[in-house]
Amino acid sequence: MQEAPKVVYELEHFGMPFDRNADGTIYQRPFGGHTANFGEKPVQRACAAADRTGHALLHTLYQRNVRARTQFFVEWMALDLVRDAAGDVLGVVALEMETGEVMILQAKATLFATGGAGRIFAASTNAFINTGDGLGMAARAGIPLQDMEFWQFHPTGVAGAGVLITEGVRGEGGILLNCNGERFMERYAPNAKDLASRDVVSRSMDQEIKEGRGCGPEKDHVLLKLDHLGPDVILKRLPSIREIALKFANVDCIKEPIPVVPTIHYQMGGIPTNVHGQVVAPKGDDWKAVVEGLYAVGECACVSVHGANRLGTNSLLDIVVFGRAAGDFIVAQGLKGRAHKPLPADAGDVARARLARLDGATTGESVPDVGNALRKTMQAHCGVFRNQELLSSGVARVMEIEERVRRTAIKDKSRTFNTARVEALELDNLIETAKATVVSAEARRESRGAQARSDYPDRDDPNFMKHTLWYREGNRLTYKPVNMKPLSVDAFPPKARTY
Amino acid sequence: MDATQLNRLRWRCRRGMLENDLILARYLEAKGTQMSETDVAALDRLLDLADNDLWDLLSGRTEAADAGLQPLLQSLRRA
Ligand SMILES: Cc1cc2nc3c(=O)[nH]c(=O)nc-3n(C[C@H](O)[C@H](O)[C@H](O)COP(=O)(O)OP(=O)(O)OC[C@H]3O[C@@H](n4cnc5c(N)ncnc54)[C@H](O)[C@@H]3O)c2cc1C
């Protein structure tokens, strides 16, 4: 929190084209859930670069890297971590796409910024590459994954495609309708209506669909109506929405409503880290023991600033604040003066075994089939509303799918840019993330943040104010306490939200 | 186009934005094996663009300055 304004100014000095006020200062816009004094009043806090803040950020930081003469290995895929007997991380095993060659990249510091695993769900706003590779690599190396039950749904993904329709559409007056043409959000959130927070709107939509008031022949979505705004407003203020609706829903939103469903958007959990980005895992009595040599930042990491639910815009902020903190910390280690630790004899074995299995398998199930089965199962059993029956059977099904993941086969065994092999390797990462998610959700018998359980609708602080840690080995869970001593503000207990 | 060339394009089409993923995947699925050398060269040039700029072109919000890209863009937009 102390660091956020500093990094924003620093990015500005690096040349990031933030939107500005007339007096030249950085413009800050209001955004859902951004309030002062715990919800007392809305505030303007979000900084942006038009509608492409992420792109501007990437571009700005890329230029800095060029200046610093960073060497990029662009066409490489990291497969697994190298960890020695002491538990220290000494680098990664990686596959070069052009040659199919596997190498060990030995490193004094390894930092994962590999993104989330949104592709474990059938309905996802995430790109195809968001397969949780860092999470899979960490899990296979014996590192636990934290708070994986907490996933944010965005209420308006295009049904069947996942493409995100921005909140701005409802901000401009777009409304959600069920099959009776009813504006159902008036019932669930009489004040905020269609502009209630993401989780509230998602749950209301899910309930409408579950109770048989969904639209379409399968009654499996609701409608986002905006034609009443008129073509001028739609074309001027919501420029890309019409193209998205035309391309991915086959409707012209100037005349017809857009079919939408709650869609997976962001993972709050991840590889547990401290504020320096160092990966931490319990060791004996110390539940914050550092895994030497390994760092994680961004969506793959869980430094836990988002708790059990994230506010919009906070992902990019998390990335710039903790990305910088981790970079500073690594530089301060003076690694240049330090020698590499010797590689263990078994370095790279896990990755080589995975590749050897794929090369050797002549018959087996197709990777896309098993991946689709996994995504469907996660959607059905670990979706917006969860209950014991769904989750228990979900755990069983995901474990069955894991067996199928081990028996896939690819026809294409070529070495050069073999994307079939890449997808098979990614499936190994998807399955680890899915197991972590469904097992953690099953055990958390309460509703908190993004986890909504219809059988346990309330938050249960005496039993569950704790972080979940899932271990791949034994598919087991442990818990660790929540840090109730923030660095710079007074601690405050969680409270129920009202609308 | 041979299998290696198609694999290389498939790899390059793995990007960071779902809109582009969906369109590029549909296109490669339907047309991949029939692409001409000109199509391949044009696609390579499109894939040099940043995600947002590529999506602007694919969605028809902007037009390519280079007329040589038009035939491929038209089929991508129909994909
Ligand atoms: C449609 C959409 C809109 C969003 N809007 C906002 C917003 O307005 N504000 C906000 O704050 N957040 C937003 N988010 C969330 C935010 O974009 C993501 O949380 C953020 O991009 C994650 O960044 P990251 O650097 O952690 O990972 P990513 O951006 O996912 O990057 C991960 C990188 O790691 C690479 N990688 C992965 N695995 C491997 C491997 N095995 N080997 C080599 N490289 C690998 C990938 O190729 C990729 O380049 C949005 C997300 C979506 C999907």
Side-chain angles (χ1 to χ4, degrees):
Chain A
M1 221 160 62
Q2 289 170 331
E3 295 303 314
K6 286 189 224 159
V7 279
V8 169
Y9 283 129
E10 184 178 44
L11 284 165
E12 187 197 28
H13 293 151
F14 289 166
M16 174 134 170
F18 284 110
D19 294 345
R20 286 174 192 286
N21 294 312
D23 65 0
T25 53
I26 296 175
Y27 168 67
Q28 292 180 281
R29 61 166 73 141
F31 206 93
H34 292 196
T35 60
N37 302 332
F38 308 105
E40 197 183 278
K41 60 172 194 295
V43 291
Q44 296 189 210
R45 194 175 282 150
C47 307
D51 60 350
R52 35 195 66 178
T53 313
H55 174 68
L57 188 59
L58 272 178
H59 186 74
T60 306
L61 293 177
Y62 180 74
Q63 293 305 331
R64 298 295 297 181
N65 274 285
V66 169
R67 240 175 88 151
R69 303 219 192 89
T70 305
Q71 183 178 356
F72 291 93
F73 293 86
V74 178
E75 293 183 325
W76 290 71
M77 177 185 186
L79 303 181
D80 273 298
L81 283 169
V82 177
R83 244 187 134 182
D84 68 7
D88 296 0
V89 167
L90 306 180
V92 293
V93 184
L95 172 72
E96 185 178 26
M97 292 308 301
E98 193 174 355
T99 59
E101 224 167 305
V102 176
M103 278 189 222
I104 291 177
L105 302 184
Q106 202 177 358
K108 295 174 194 165
T110 301
L111 184 145
F112 277 164
T114 47
R119 301 307 301 182
I120 62 170
F121 289 90
S124 172
T125 64
N126 288 194
F128 292 175
I129 58 163
N130 291 111
T131 51
D133 290 12
L135 299 131
M137 288 188 262
R140 280 189 297 277
I143 293 161
L145 302 181
Q146 180 173 321
D147 293 342
M148 288 302 295
E149 60 272 44
F150 299 114
W151 283 84
Q152 181 172 81
F153 285 83
H154 196 289
T156 52
V158 174
V163 176
L164 182 104
I165 307 269
T166 142
E167 255 119 12
V169 171
R170 281 168 289 134
E172 292 291 343
I175 55 173
L176 292 162
L177 303 177
N178 62 20
C179 68
N180 303 322
E182 182 202 2
R183 185 180 180 188
F184 57 87
M185 281 312 301
E186 291 182 330
R187 247 188 295 125
Y188 295 94
N191 295 319
K193 296 182 187 149
D194 300 272
L195 286 171
S197 67
R198 286 177 182 172
D199 55 330
V200 173
V201 180
S202 292
R203 276 172 221 153
S204 311
M205 291 165 68
D206 191 67
Q207 195 159 337
E208 289 299 296
I209 294 168
K210 287 228 168 87
E211 290 175 1
R213 290 187 295 278
C215 307
E218 307 284 333
K219 293 189 158 292
D220 57 0
H221 59 260
V222 300
L223 295 173
L224 176 60
K225 175 181 153 63
L226 60 159
D227 58 295
H228 57 284
L229 304 178
D232 287 350
V233 171
I234 294 176
L235 295 177
K236 206 176 289 157
R237 292 217 221 120
L238 304 165
S240 56
I241 296 310
R242 184 165 182 229
E243 284 112 24
I244 287 175
L246 279 169
K247 277 235 149 30
F248 303 111
N250 224 349
V251 300
D252 184 350
C253 64
I254 288 180
K255 300 185 209 120
E256 304 153 279
I258 311 171
V260 290
V261 288
T263 302
I264 273 293
H265 188 52
Y266 183 84
Q267 129 198 340
M268 269 71 73
I271 306 166
T273 71
N274 62 24
V275 293
H276 308 300
Q278 293 176 290
V279 172
V280 292
K283 203 175 192 179
D285 288 341
D286 181 5
W287 52 267
K288 303 192 265 199
V290 167
V291 177
E292 288 298 338
L294 184 62
Y295 300 78
V297 296
E299 197 167 330
C300 72
C302 181
V303 59
S304 203
V305 277
H306 309 299
N309 208 346
R310 170 189 76 116
L311 289 181
T313 73
N314 272 0
S315 172
L316 297 190
L317 189 60
D318 169 355
I319 287 166
V320 290
V321 168
F322 292 101
R324 181 180 221 301
D328 286 343
F329 188 84
I330 292 170
V331 169
Q333 301 301 294
L335 294 177
K336 278 194 183 141
R338 234 190 268 174
H340 281 285
K341 268 185 105 177
L343 289 175
D346 65 353
D349 284 2
V350 176
R352 281 194 208 96
R354 290 168 65 208
L355 288 164
R357 186 195 76 73
L358 283 173
D359 280 340
T362 44
T363 55
E365 259 193 287
S366 97
V367 171
D369 286 355
V370 179
N372 286 335
L374 178 64
R375 285 183 270 276
K376 263 202 189 138
T377 303
M378 288 302 289
Q379 193 76 29
H381 289 265
C382 210
V384 174
F385 265 115
R386 303 168 176 180
N387 63 44
Q388 200 54 40
E389 200 187 314
L390 275 177
L391 289 166
S392 303
S393 53
V395 171
R397 294 219 179 148
V398 169
M399 298 315 287
E400 284 162 24
I401 294 174
E402 180 178 37
E403 291 305 312
R404 293 167 64 186
V405 170
R406 295 198 181 141
R407 292 193 306 264
T408 56
I410 50 171
K411 287 201 197 83
D412 183 355
K413 313 270 190 202
S414 64
R415 301 188 70 79
T416 308
F417 294 113
N418 185 340
T419 48
R421 178 182 284 140
V422 168
E423 280 162 24
L425 293 165
E426 286 174 340
L427 185 58
D428 291 343
N429 300 321
L430 290 168
I431 189 71
E432 299 305 337
T433 323
K435 282 189 296 179
T437 299
V438 70
V439 170
S440 303
E442 191 270 340
R444 184 175 285 279
R445 295 179 184 174
E446 65 154 357
S447 294
R448 175 186 302 269
Q451 154 121 325
R453 297 227 4 187
S454 46
D455 47 354
Y456 298 96
D458 299 318
R459 208 182 58 240
D460 177 1
D461 286 340
N463 290 307
F464 284 105
M465 193 146 80
K466 54 188 181 185
H467 294 289
T468 310
L469 291 175
W470 172 85
Y471 287 86
R472 175 174 184 260
E473 173 104 50
N475 200 18
R476 71 188 167 90
L477 299 176
T478 58
Y479 292 90
K480 70 178 193 186
V482 174
N483 176 13
M484 293 304 277
K485 291 199 189 73
L487 285 178
S488 57
V489 291
D490 293 335
F492 55 91
K495 270 200 311 194
R497 255 185 316 164
T498 50
Y499 276 95
Chain B
M1 184 165 55
D2 66 27
T4 313
Q5 237 182 334
L6 187 58
N7 271 353
R8 187 186 61 83
L9 278 181
R10 281 218 180 90
W11 168 258
R12 286 209 75 197
C13 285
R14 295 165 42 93
R15 306 172 55 98
M17 187 176 175
L18 181 59
E19 286 86 333
N20 292 335
D21 283 348
L22 290 167
I23 293 180
L24 293 167
R26 278 185 209 165
Y27 176 83
L28 285 184
E29 184 66 30
K31 297 268 164 57
T33 50
Q34 309 147 37
M35 286 175 79
S36 67
E37 291 291 321
T38 330
D39 292 336
V40 174
L43 185 54
D44 264 322
R45 283 184 25 231
L46 286 179
L47 293 175
D48 288 337
L49 296 172
D51 269 328
N52 287 295
D53 299 327
L54 178 59
W55 166 240
D56 282 347
L57 283 174
L58 295 181
S59 65
R61 258 223 276 179
T62 56
E63 283 304 335
D66 179 347
L69 293 173
Q70 272 307 322
L72 175 70
L73 258 186
Q74 292 309 328
S75 17
L76 280 166
R77 284 174 187 165
R78 280 192 302 270

